[in-house]
Amino acid sequence: MRSLSVSRVVEAVKEMCIEANHFLSKDMMEAMQKAAEAEEAPLGKQILNQLQENARIAGEDMIPICQDTGMAVVFAEVGQEVHFEDGILEDAIHEGVRQGYQEGFLRKSVVKDPIYRQNTKDNTPAVIHYSIVPGDKVKITVAPKGFGSENMSRIFMLKPADGIEGVKNAVVTAVKDAGPNACPPLVVGVGIGGTFEKCALMAKEALTRPVNKRSDIPYICELEKEILDRINSSGIGPGGLGGTITALAVNINTYPTHIAGLPVAVNMCCHVNRHAARIL
Amino acid sequence: MDRHIKVPLTGETASSLRAGDYVYLTGTIYTARDAAHKRMYETIEENGKLPLDMQNNVIYYMGPSPAREGKVIGSAGPTTASRMDKYAPVLLDMGLKGMIGKGKRSQAVKDAVVRNGAVYFAAVGGAGALLSRAIVASEVIAYDDLGTEAIRKLEIKDFPVIVVMDSVGNDLYETAAREYCREDGKPDTVKGERG
């Protein structure tokens, strides 16, 4: 067994909330640069250049890339040989979010009750997904999720007979319905298979994969490219104001499913696809 | 066409704007998003007095991140406008001349824009750090208890927006996407409409 103080979890989560909201990952920066070069619409190109300048200002002035600093989604991959000390792991994650959003001048966007809607004023609680993995390390990923794009996400419970064409049409339909609302250029996270909730979770996890890394499964890799081409043929463009770059990447994760089903989840993410990860 | 215009708008200026115009706004605007709109709407239903006069004013759908010390405001980009669609027509009928947000609007909003000679502008979504530099002063004037969703009076200088809906019924989101669409006619709809 390896002992790990939860105070290290608090510190790491706090720092990652601030980091992710001010600095885009290298793969995202590169994808935005490429998009600005490739975009054919003059206004679209101008918007992509503005978004790059926006990211530069964010890092220099320590002002969040987007005012919607999101609800904090946290993936905790816990090695089964780890023993936590000095407190409760879950409390530590929430405390890290609380401190990060306070000290980082991040917007508090979480309401306590979905109907009565009082702001919790510290952006807690986080949404936490745990997994137990081999080893004695803990990997924590913080992915603040804005709701302009979250609101445009969908689940399709397709029939097995709908097949791969059904999957393509579902993803393209979701992107077209999202249009300008989800702040294109998008990163499109897709889950195929599993159950209703597994499929949604895979779509979320897919967003944390670097946008320049394609699936290891050959036919899924091809599917990612083909759907991206179709999305970029839609004409929606940067900011939804017309153009040839509507999405930067389509990231697909898959899982075995039931003989009767073909679930497809599409988790939209805007161009501020934020995530930071650390191993403790 | 690039234009520099003053806000609040005049009826004449608002009705002269056309979808696709790139516009730099200078003057005074007000912020309001979901919770502030809900509260204003309830006030109107109860025949109460609104915290701001709608006449010729522009509302920016925005809730900023907190300002660091010495700064006017935090990150300050637009939020999705369609969530305000339920409330916007009545405000437009009361004299509201402009809205700044992002994303599609309902037919009812489009009709109210035309009926009142108003305008819907888009600011670039996700460019909140850049847009904050065009905001020179910010003051909460109502609903302070709503935090980021309070109503703020903003002084802006050359704040960049694009006209999406104009007073003659154009919608840039529809026309611009059509211009760059390169589909080969494959059907892209699946059964099971959004519920």
Side-chain angles (χ1 to χ4, degrees):
Chain A
M1 287 304 265
R2 170 177 171 244
S3 292
L4 183 68
S5 170
V6 294
S7 64
R8 291 194 53 202
V9 173
V10 174
E11 198 63 19
V13 169
K14 175 180 92 172
E15 289 172 8
M16 284 191 282
C17 288
I18 296 172
E19 179 191 322
N21 273 299
H22 291 84
F23 302 95
L24 278 183
S25 55
K26 189 160 167 279
D27 59 296
M28 280 299 296
M29 294 293 276
E30 286 170 1
M32 288 293 282
Q33 175 64 35
K34 263 198 210 165
E37 286 162 15
E39 176 57 58
E40 292 171 26
L43 180 57
K45 204 185 244 311
Q46 186 181 350
I47 289 170
L48 290 169
N49 287 331
Q50 285 175 342
L51 292 175
Q52 287 186 284
E53 195 192 344
N54 182 70
R56 184 182 57 76
I57 292 169
E60 280 176 16
D61 290 2
M62 283 306 278
I63 180 167
I65 303 165
C66 178
Q67 76 288 338
D68 184 354
T69 52
M71 189 165 192
V73 176
V74 177
F75 294 97
E77 294 163 61
V78 181
Q80 66 178 15
E81 289 162 45
V82 175
H83 168 71
F84 290 101
E85 291 183 336
D86 308 326
I88 312 259
L89 174 61
E90 183 144 331
D91 293 349
I93 293 172
H94 293 312
E95 182 58 26
V97 169
R98 186 176 290 117
Q99 292 183 13
Y101 276 72
Q102 204 61 46
E103 293 176 28
F105 291 85
L106 304 177
R107 196 178 78 180
K108 287 67 178 181
S109 311
V110 174
V111 293
K112 189 176 179 194
D113 181 280
I115 300 302
Y116 292 104
R117 308 195 75 82
Q118 313 90 331
N119 197 299
T120 62
K121 297 194 162 74
D122 60 7
N123 220 55
T124 66
V127 172
I128 309 171
H129 303 291
Y130 297 100
S131 49
I132 307 295
V133 298
D136 63 357
K137 302 277 194 292
V138 178
K139 181 179 179 190
I140 298 180
T141 303
V142 176
K145 189 66 173 70
F147 262 55
S149 54
E150 193 74 354
N151 278 339
M152 305 317 291
S153 302
R154 312 238 340 229
I155 284 203
F156 301 82
M157 299 306 282
L158 299 182
K159 294 174 180 63
D162 293 327
I164 197 160
E165 288 304 316
V167 172
K168 291 175 197 169
N169 288 339
V171 180
V172 173
T173 298
V175 170
K176 286 190 174 184
D177 287 353
N181 295 29
C183 289
L186 309 169
V187 178
V188 184
V190 180
I192 308 175
T195 49
F196 181 77
E197 85 289 1
K198 173 70 181 173
C199 181
L201 185 54
M202 286 194 292
K204 178 76 74 197
E205 282 169 334
L207 291 172
T208 66
R209 191 210 306 164
V211 288
N212 54 13
K213 191 173 178 299
R214 302 275 50 82
S215 170
D216 295 332
I217 305 166
Y219 92 91
I220 295 294
C221 171
E222 289 310 309
L223 187 61
E224 290 177 342
K225 291 180 193 165
E226 186 187 336
I227 294 177
L228 180 62
D229 276 349
R230 271 180 68 182
I231 290 170
N232 286 337
S233 301
S234 68
I236 295 168
L241 295 168
T244 54
I245 308 285
T246 301
L248 303 171
V250 176
N251 287 0
I252 302 176
N253 286 355
T254 63
Y255 197 77
T257 190
H258 188 276
I259 49 172
L262 175 52
V264 178
V266 186
N267 196 187
M268 295 294 169
C269 193
C270 59
H271 53 84
V272 192
N273 180 22
R274 295 163 285 205
H275 43 87
R278 282 194 200 173
I279 294 169
L280 302 177
Chain B
M1 187 167 72
D2 280 17
R3 293 181 62 176
H4 288 76
I5 61 176
K6 296 251 182 294
V7 278
L9 294 162
T10 63
E12 198 184 342
T13 308
S15 55
S16 74
L17 292 167
R18 286 295 171 268
D21 286 353
Y22 202 96
V23 182
Y24 295 91
L25 304 175
T26 297
T28 306
I29 59 172
Y30 296 87
T31 69
R33 47 169 294 154
D34 308 55
H37 272 84
K38 181 167 187 280
R39 206 175 275 187
M40 284 196 288
Y41 194 74
E42 286 163 0
T43 302
I44 293 166
E45 282 185 324
E46 293 157 7
N47 295 314
K49 189 176 181 305
L50 290 182
L52 69 122
D53 183 8
M54 288 297 147
Q55 199 61 45
N56 290 339
N57 268 318
V58 175
I59 290 182
Y60 183 18
Y61 301 140
M62 190 276 287
S65 65
R68 282 186 185 268
E69 212 170 309
K71 297 278 184 187
V72 169
I73 202 161
S75 198
T79 195
T80 308
S82 59
R83 294 195 315 275
M84 270 51 80
D85 282 359
K86 176 180 171 187
Y87 313 114
V90 64
L91 299 181
L92 288 162
D93 289 340
M94 289 172 75
L96 180 70
K97 270 288 178 286
M99 303 160 285
I100 308 171
K102 57 147 171 128
K104 297 177 216 171
R105 307 304 302 263
S106 67
Q107 189 59 45
V109 173
K110 209 179 277 194
D111 294 345
V113 165
V114 172
R115 183 166 69 236
N116 293 288
V119 58
Y120 169 50
F121 301 104
V124 175
L130 179 72
L131 290 168
S132 75
R133 291 194 166 180
I135 298 170
V136 293
S138 166
E139 180 197 354
V140 172
I141 60 147
Y143 307 163
D144 200 11
D145 59 301
L146 295 179
T148 186
E149 296 203 68
I151 294 184
R152 287 172 171 78
K153 181 181 174 184
L154 301 182
E155 300 299 329
I156 55 175
K157 188 169 184 305
D158 293 331
F159 188 92
V161 292
I162 297 148
V163 177
V164 170
M165 288 179 188
D166 60 27
S167 58
V168 293
N170 293 311
D171 182 342
L172 184 64
Y173 286 136
E174 286 173 10
T175 51
R178 222 176 288 143
E179 191 180 336
Y180 288 93
C181 180
R182 283 172 195 169
E183 284 161 358
D184 52 10
K186 270 184 198 167
D188 278 335
T189 47
V190 290
K191 279 181 189 164
E193 277 305 297
R194 190 159 208 190

